[in-house]
Amino acid sequence: MFLNRILKIGFPLLSLACYSQGQQSIDSLKQEHLDEVVVTATRTKRLIATLPLPTHVISAATIEKAGVTRLDEILAQQTGLHLTSDFGGVEGLQMQGLDAAYILILMDGVPLVGRSAGTFDLSRISVGNIDRIEIVKGASSSLYGSEALAGVINIITKKPTRNNASGNGSFRYASWNTNDVNLNFNWKKEKISATLFTNYFSSNGYDLDPNTELKTVEPYQNTTIQPRVFWDFSKNVKFTFGTRFYNQLQEYKTIINAINYAGNATILEWDLHSKLEQKWGSNVQVDYELYATNYKNNSFLNSPENILFEQNYYNQWLYRPEIRALFNWKKNKIIAGAGFNHESLDRTYFATKVAVQSQYVFSQLDFNPTEKVNFLLGIRYDNNSQFASQWSPKFAVNYKVNPSLSFKTSIGYGFKAPDFRQLYFDFTNSSVGYTVLGYNVAESQLNVLEKQGQLLNRIPGISFENPLEPESSVNLNLGSFYQKEKLKVETNFFYNSISNLIDTRVAAQKNNGQNVFSYFNVDQIFTYGLEFNSTHKYSKQFNVSFGYQYLIAKDESVIKAVEKGTVYARDPVTLESFQIKKADYFGLFNRSKNTANLKFYYAVPKLKTDFNLQVFYKSKYGLWDSNNNQVLDKYDDFVNAFTTINISASKKMLQKFTLQAGVNNLFDFTNPQEISTLSGRLFFTRLQFNF
Amino acid sequence: MKNTFSTSFFTIAVMAIFTTFISCDKDDAPQKVVVLETKTVSNLPAPQTGGQGQPEGGPFTKFSFSQNAVVTNDVWDIAFRGTKIIVNGGSLIGLKEEPSRKGVAAVSIVTGSLSSITAIPAANTFIQDGDKTYSFPTSGINSWYDYNATSHIISAKAGKVYVVKTHDGKYAKFEILSYYKDAPTSPDGTSISRFYTFKFVYQNNSSISF
């Protein structure tokens, strides 16, 4: 049966227990817990317990228990992962205190594209066909190149494992007329198997402030279709071919100078992924992979007279052939790979379509000198015409003290290449009059503006001669893994030092009193903290897990300025300035020092029912500066600490049905002014049928 | 999920962090017997026409520190129009309806609180207006304000004190507190802009400190 299969594939690392599937499946899980395998960390199958990198897995069972439908929802429930509002209102994920732009998102090992100002909208991904989500924290550019700076999230989709046809369907209805329909078909006959996943999602959106004319989130709907074929030509040659379509339509409304504009926004996404795995004897395997993806969005606004007011488009392509070879040598593994990226983007505010080619090679040694010690040594070279080529090394060690306890440490380099927007943007705000220019086109566009007599002056000392540098980091992790009988405890201390952060600065002044901005390598920040996860299985029926993250994230230049005594704040009463002391500096915006989650699971086998209670806590964080120094200090206004609670219950019925009901955000906590992405109390019910 | 935002306004963090700057606050100036009075100017109107991409115009509001009043003749020290501030010294910047400079006024921008600035900065730090050059920079770390592109609020940077050499060679120091009428603590979209509130200290004699 379908659910049984999920359970056999893997059991959640972080979660408390299994899905209620009757006594038999609970028993069968005992052993699997220890044997959990991941592929993202090393690009080979590795046991999580002895992996020297901070790695977590979210299983299909955990996702199902949580009663959620989109990827952002399930990720936000994990320790150390937070959703924050980024530019344009899209929610982005934060990992080890770093923003969404620095997290690589993979599906079955290949990258998903289509970001808005660096942020990937994770709600595009349905969780309906996810087998497991692997999360590797810390810089992973040694394997994955650009963007894998804070870490990597790899979504592994389900594969048919048993002969004949099977499948499942589910329907979930939730508040705000939110509908989620899943259909999964699996078919397998000896050497050939196939799967077809379809998902339809629609929501009326929600409105936190009924006094305003616009809703907080306008109605939207989307469809995902993902067929895949697996063909084992022989024992040694296996072929995989898959494609994915995604289509989203959302109403798009805005009010400018008391005039209502309306239109819609569409997203169209498509990818094609094929892979040939070939074994040469028992110790060598070569993978040939071909990946192409296209992300398109279009939006328009019409005036009340139905005249086109604004139109935007965005069309991104990525082609990536890659070849990897894996050599087994005694207990050690060597992986080597090479690939090629062809990426292009055509969008509003670009003068022309932009295309970039890059090449890369990587290699990794997975070395076990003794039973107790495992080394990982990796390096990758990225060659790109747009910026200086990058060498990304990584080194990691795991030391197994005894069968229950391991210590692990890793140090690595991560980078994020300047994106197309930072290099090629050419935008002038029509109502205010300022201009933003990408770094590579800034010089020529400034010359054009100068010729047109639009420039008052250029800021002295600003030059675009040397290429914009990639943002880069050095990442350190120091952790432990303990598992014995009913208790599992993981800790990880992390430190990231990021240089050459790219931000906008004024490059010239215009005659209209506005500025011309461009992108520059300006900032240096660091983040450090401690992550703690524990799970205690009191019995087969009752589990508790606890997760906690302590986080400090600061800007080096602010610290220096505060030490120098040049940072002041405005007193809210007298409006006079006073000096900020070192201890007053809180850190970067949008980051809570303390976040925690507590999850309870209770199963009643007699009733074939299980219950979940999840508590999430976030300590105060700053959203913006409120005392006129652009720095978050303790005198600023903060978003208050808050707690949300989710409860759910699910019951197995008539062998093939599962009924689930629950409430997310039980106490209806909202903060319309400061957290528009928190929707308030959501009731849901879900029925699943397996066949 | 996507939130509805008016995406036509491209958001930009206009300003970042104060970096290096001339630090004067550690100077221990000898205590003066005469305590100079700190005066507050509230709701000084600084209207402007145009803007928002259109050419800016309208008369500047001229202010005299010695008279603590708006003046219409040539004895003004500084003048305001919208977010632009000019001094009565140097030459024309090249703006519409710009008053000609008849005095020797100049400004030196220092970091500190109004009371902590006691010494007159070095002479070479004083800047006058000139062709296409503002003595009060309109952008960068020395501009007097930050603009929040999301809320569209203009906020006077904390810790910026302007030491002004007046039109007749005396000195005054001032700190801008607010750009909005009645100086609300947290201005919002309903606040009325182009009304300056500032505190100043005027040094009547030729002393080199306040």
Side-chain angles (χ1 to χ4, degrees):
Chain A
M1 278 208 350
F2 184 74
L3 279 173
N4 255 329
R5 219 187 65 236
I6 300 170
L7 293 168
K8 279 175 187 157
I9 290 167
F11 191 73
L13 182 75
L14 292 175
S15 77
L16 322 168
C18 61
Y19 190 82
S20 169
Q21 174 72 21
Q23 202 60 43
Q24 152 226 346
S25 60
I26 288 175
D27 290 341
S28 69
L29 281 165
K30 270 186 190 167
Q31 195 47 43
E32 298 183 19
H33 206 130
L34 271 169
D35 296 345
E36 193 167 40
V37 163
V38 292
V39 297
T40 313
T42 59
R43 295 190 108 154
T44 57
K45 283 183 184 169
R46 275 294 302 265
L47 289 181
I48 206 163
T50 56
L51 195 62
L53 309 173
T55 308
H56 299 291
V57 174
I58 308 167
S59 71
T62 303
I63 295 169
E64 212 159 291
K65 270 192 319 186
V68 297
T69 57
R70 314 305 296 183
L71 185 62
D72 56 331
E73 300 170 279
I74 189 68
L75 290 177
Q77 296 184 354
Q78 313 307 314
T79 309
L81 298 183
H82 306 292
L83 288 177
T84 59
S85 281
D86 291 338
F87 279 156
V90 175
E91 273 193 307
L93 199 67
Q94 201 177 79
M95 188 192 273
Q96 293 197 343
L98 301 174
D99 283 334
Y102 308 100
I103 303 171
L104 183 66
I105 311 288
L106 306 172
M107 183 176 275
D108 293 316
V110 288
L112 297 174
V113 302
R115 290 170 180 251
S116 159
T119 299
F120 189 92
D121 183 3
L122 296 160
S123 71
R124 285 190 347 230
I125 311 297
S126 164
V127 299
N129 67 331
I130 294 180
D131 176 59
R132 65 187 194 275
I133 304 165
E134 300 184 355
I135 301 159
V136 179
K137 293 181 180 173
S140 307
S141 291
S142 64
L143 276 181
Y144 295 102
S146 179
E147 281 173 18
L149 195 146
V152 180
I153 291 174
N154 192 1
I155 304 147
I156 314 283
T157 58
K158 285 172 183 165
K159 289 177 191 153
T161 50
R162 300 167 340 120
N163 269 334
N164 297 326
S166 67
N168 71 332
S170 75
F171 174 64
R172 177 184 184 267
Y173 182 80
S175 308
W176 304 295
N177 194 21
T178 307
N179 297 279
D180 182 76
V181 186
N182 278 315
L183 274 176
N184 263 308
F185 292 102
N186 299 303
W187 176 83
K188 188 170 188 212
K189 196 170 181 188
E190 307 304 328
K191 289 176 174 174
I192 301 178
S193 62
T195 163
L196 172 66
F197 169 69
T198 53
N199 172 265
Y200 172 78
F201 182 90
S202 74
S203 167
N204 281 0
Y206 59 87
D207 194 8
L208 293 173
D209 186 358
N211 298 322
T212 56
E213 209 161 319
L214 299 179
K215 293 178 86 165
T216 310
V217 173
E218 297 291 346
Y220 66 107
Q221 53 179 314
N222 58 53
T223 309
T224 309
I225 301 171
Q226 192 170 10
R228 299 175 74 201
V229 177
F230 309 85
W231 192 351
D232 299 351
F233 293 123
S234 69
K235 262 189 181 173
N236 293 326
V237 183
K238 292 177 180 180
F239 180 67
T240 308
F241 179 82
T243 181
R244 188 172 71 97
F245 298 91
Y246 175 80
N247 181 14
Q248 175 167 298
L249 178 68
Q250 181 167 30
E251 290 181 22
Y252 180 31
K253 290 177 182 169
T254 190
I255 299 174
I256 301 169
N257 297 329
I259 301 169
N260 288 18
Y261 297 88
N264 65 45
T266 56
I267 296 172
L268 201 62
E269 209 180 334
W270 167 82
D271 72 33
L272 196 148
H273 184 190
S274 65
K275 190 163 78 173
L276 188 74
E277 297 173 5
Q278 190 171 17
K279 277 187 182 155
W280 300 82
S282 58
N283 288 325
V284 181
Q285 181 181 325
V286 182
D287 292 357
Y288 308 87
E289 192 168 60
L290 195 64
Y291 177 60
T293 183
N294 176 222
Y295 170 88
K296 263 194 283 199
N297 74 42
N298 287 286
S299 65
F300 70 89
L301 281 173
N302 281 348
S303 70
E305 298 82 33
N306 231 10
I307 295 163
L308 187 66
F309 171 73
E310 184 192 283
Q311 199 168 16
N312 285 296
Y313 65 93
Y314 188 102
N315 187 0
Q316 184 179 10
W317 282 90
L318 171 70
Y319 302 93
R320 170 182 292 183
E322 186 174 286
I323 178 166
R324 290 186 298 272
L326 171 70
F327 309 92
N328 289 305
W329 161 60
K330 293 179 184 168
K331 283 180 177 174
N332 313 304
K333 287 173 183 170
I334 295 172
I335 189 163
F340 169 83
N341 282 322
H342 176 91
E343 200 177 352
S344 72
L345 175 62
D346 189 11
R347 62 164 289 182
T348 333
Y349 311 126
F350 272 21
T352 55
K353 179 175 155 179
V354 176
V356 170
Q357 270 98 23
S358 60
Q359 305 82 32
Y360 58 89
V361 288
F362 61 87
S363 183
Q364 181 186 256
L365 171 68
D366 187 341
F367 182 52
N368 297 286
T370 72
E371 276 292 312
K372 291 191 164 190
V373 180
N374 173 238
F375 285 106
L376 274 183
L377 190 62
I379 192 155
R380 172 166 161 141
Y381 177 74
D382 283 85
N383 180 41
N384 187 306
S385 53
Q386 301 296 310
F387 53 88
S389 50
Q390 298 286 305
W391 286 98
S392 311
K394 183 152 188 167
F395 177 69
V397 190
N398 190 82
Y399 179 72
K400 204 155 87 178
V401 179
N402 58 48
S404 336
L405 180 67
S406 284
F407 289 106
K408 46 188 74 182
T409 183
S410 65
I411 183 163
Y413 175 85
F415 76 95
K416 178 184 176 291
D419 63 31
F420 283 141
R421 177 183 48 108
Q422 291 160 340
L423 297 176
Y424 297 103
F425 212 41
D426 180 1
F427 170 79
T428 297
N429 182 298
S430 55
S431 57
V432 179
Y434 63 84
T435 298
V436 185
L437 298 174
Y439 190 90
N440 287 8
V441 296
E443 186 65 44
S444 61
Q445 286 307 108
L446 281 171
N447 289 339
V448 169
L449 291 172
E450 205 158 32
K451 263 188 194 163
Q452 292 168 346
Q454 289 199 49
L455 285 195
L456 182 68
N457 59 20
R458 293 201 192 191
I459 304 297
I462 282 186
S463 143
F464 298 94
E465 241 169 75
N466 300 318
L468 195 61
E469 296 278 328
E471 302 173 289
S472 62
S473 79
V474 174
N475 163 253
L476 178 75
N477 291 291
L478 200 62
S480 67
F481 184 97
Y482 176 83
Q483 184 165 30
K484 199 170 187 184
E485 289 160 8
K486 291 173 173 176
L487 182 68
K488 184 169 76 171
V489 179
E490 285 168 282
T491 60
N492 186 49
F493 168 81
F494 59 88
Y495 173 81
N496 292 288
S497 170
I498 297 110
S499 312
N500 283 329
L501 276 185
I502 296 170
D503 201 358
T504 49
R505 286 290 184 274
V506 176
Q509 298 188 53
K510 295 170 83 176
N511 282 324
N512 65 5
Q514 296 294 329
N515 295 314
V516 179
F517 299 89
S518 189
Y519 298 89
F520 298 98
N521 294 111
V522 277
D523 293 333
Q524 185 160 4
I525 63 163
F526 63 84
T527 74
Y528 65 86
L530 183 74
E531 189 179 326
F532 175 89
N533 281 295
S534 73
T535 302
H536 196 282
K537 294 188 155 199
Y538 290 93
S539 69
K540 282 170 191 166
Q541 280 81 47
F542 184 54
N543 302 300
V544 178
S545 80
F546 173 70
Y548 169 77
Q549 181 183 260
Y550 177 76
L551 172 69
I552 295 291
K554 289 185 171 176
D555 186 321
E556 297 273 13
S557 61
V558 173
I559 291 175
K560 276 181 197 149
V562 172
E563 279 172 350
K564 259 189 174 172
T566 57
V567 180
Y568 284 74
R570 198 170 294 290
D571 185 297
V573 180
T574 65
L575 293 179
E576 284 176 25
S577 297
F578 63 93
Q579 200 172 342
I580 291 293
K581 293 180 184 64
K582 201 178 172 186
D584 299 340
Y585 176 42
F586 188 86
L588 302 181
F589 294 97
N590 246 327
R591 282 149 179 93
S592 300
K593 270 186 188 169
N594 301 290
T595 47
N597 61 72
L598 187 60
K599 299 173 182 175
F600 298 90
Y601 170 80
Y602 185 67
V604 186
K606 266 188 192 171
L607 299 173
K608 290 185 173 176
T609 303
D610 62 48
F611 300 92
N612 279 288
L613 170 66
Q614 304 186 319
V615 184
F616 301 97
Y617 170 80
K618 213 171 176 181
S619 70
K620 73 169 185 179
Y621 61 97
L623 214 48
W624 48 68
D625 163 51
S626 61
N627 55 17
N628 304 6
N629 55 12
Q630 305 294 308
V631 162
L632 185 63
D633 56 69
K634 72 173 189 186
Y635 304 102
D636 274 309
D637 295 336
F638 283 82
V639 178
N640 292 333
F642 66 94
T643 303
T644 54
I645 293 173
N646 298 346
I647 54 165
S648 70
S650 60
K651 183 174 167 64
K652 197 83 194 129
M653 297 182 305
L654 308 167
Q655 294 299 321
K656 292 189 170 182
F657 288 93
T658 307
L659 181 67
Q660 185 182 34
V663 188
N664 289 348
N665 195 355
L666 181 65
F667 294 107
D668 198 23
F669 173 79
T670 60
N671 183 344
Q673 292 305 315
E674 294 169 326
I675 320 173
S676 66
T677 46
L678 194 63
S679 65
R681 188 188 296 130
L682 178 130
F683 295 93
F684 71 88
T685 178
R686 181 170 177 274
L687 184 68
Q688 178 167 322
F689 171 65
N690 302 300
F691 56 89
Chain B
M1 268 175 292
K2 275 206 311 196
N3 281 4
T4 304
F5 265 64
S6 65
T7 45
S8 56
F9 290 99
F10 185 81
T11 48
I12 283 227
V14 173
M15 250 315 293
I17 295 107
F18 303 161
T19 48
T20 54
F21 210 78
I22 309 151
S23 175
C24 297
D25 51 340
K26 280 177 185 161
D27 293 0
D28 288 318
Q31 285 294 309
K32 285 280 155 189
V33 185
V34 183
V35 178
L36 298 171
E37 195 185 344
T38 303
K39 291 171 178 160
T40 304
V41 175
S42 295
N43 296 329
L44 182 94
Q48 164 200 303
T49 60
Q52 303 269 308
Q54 302 303 311
E56 295 168 5
F60 279 80
T61 306
K62 301 169 187 169
F63 184 78
S64 160
F65 286 110
S66 62
Q67 297 179 35
N68 185 14
V70 172
V71 296
T72 51
N73 55 16
D74 288 338
V75 300
W76 58 282
D77 302 313
I78 54 172
F80 303 83
R81 186 175 77 189
T83 58
K84 305 287 190 307
I85 306 175
I86 58 174
V87 294
N88 190 3
S91 56
L92 292 175
I93 296 167
L95 308 171
K96 270 188 171 181
E97 299 179 58
E98 188 182 355
S100 59
R101 311 301 199 274
K102 297 286 168 67
V104 296
V107 63
S108 174
I109 304 168
V110 290
T111 298
S113 64
L114 190 64
S115 57
S116 73
I117 305 296
T118 53
I120 307 291
N124 63 6
T125 63
F126 281 86
I127 310 283
Q128 293 187 320
D129 288 331
D131 183 34
K132 295 185 176 181
T133 316
Y134 292 88
S135 56
F136 283 84
T138 54
S139 65
I141 57 165
N142 275 338
S143 86
W144 70 265
Y145 66 90
D146 288 312
Y147 171 69
N148 183 323
T150 309
S151 64
H152 307 298
I153 294 297
I154 301 272
S155 53
K157 286 176 184 168
K160 290 280 172 202
V161 174
Y162 306 92
V163 179
V164 175
K165 189 178 177 185
T166 62
H167 75 285
D168 54 355
K170 302 279 180 23
Y171 289 98
K173 58 177 178 180
F174 78 106
E175 181 188 8
I176 300 170
L177 308 184
S178 177
Y179 184 62
Y180 293 89
K181 200 174 181 192
D182 300 328
T185 299
S186 309
D188 56 31
T190 64
S191 305
I192 302 165
S193 66
R194 296 172 183 162
F195 285 92
Y196 282 84
T197 293
F198 59 89
K199 286 192 174 182
F200 76 92
V201 175
Y202 177 65
Q203 174 59 276
N204 190 24
N205 59 33
S206 301
S207 165
I208 52 144
S209 65
F210 289 101

